[in-house]
């Protein structure tokens, strides 16, 4: 099971067994890594992965865990 941590003012840190694919379904290779970080700020030169540019641009986002509401019901198809 993967663990995803939303780092304040930074990336999404992902630990554990995961697969990330591009839009065509091709898998990214992680070079043996078991922990990766994904960009949240949009300024990484290595998207979708974090390269630390959030620090340079002063990205700020404090996140606190919360419960999401239930999903909206899907319309019935007649």
């Amino acid at each position: 099971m993967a663990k995803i941590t939303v780092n304040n003012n930074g990336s999404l840190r992902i630990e554990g067994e995961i697969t990330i694919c591009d839009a065509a379904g091709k898998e990214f290779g992680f070079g043996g890594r078991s922990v990766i970080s994904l960009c949240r700020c949009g300024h990484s030169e290595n998207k979708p992965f974090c390269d630390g540019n959030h620090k340079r641009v002063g990205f700020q986002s404090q996140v606190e865990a919360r419960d999401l509401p239930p999903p909206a019901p899907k319309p019935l198809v007649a």
Side-chain angles (χ1 to χ4, degrees), residues 14 16-21 27-38 48-49:
I14 304 173
E17 290 293 321
I18 61 163
T19 300
I20 298 179
C21 299
E27 289 186 21
F28 284 89
F30 299 144
R33 292 172 181 82
S34 60
V35 176
I36 62 161
S37 293
L38 297 177
F49 305 103

Side-chain angles (χ1 to χ4, degrees), residues 5-56:
T5 303
V6 182
N7 290 317
N8 286 331
N9 306 319
S11 64
L12 295 172
R13 178 185 168 97
I14 304 173
E15 304 171 66
E17 290 293 321
I18 61 163
T19 300
I20 298 179
C21 299
D22 65 15
K26 183 179 175 192
E27 289 186 21
F28 284 89
F30 299 144
R33 292 172 181 82
S34 60
V35 176
I36 62 161
S37 293
L38 297 177
C39 177
R40 284 200 307 141
C41 75
H43 292 279
S44 175
E45 299 289 328
N46 191 29
K47 290 180 191 84
F49 305 103
C50 177
D51 66 1
N53 267 331
H54 56 272
K55 295 174 192 166
R56 181 181 57 80

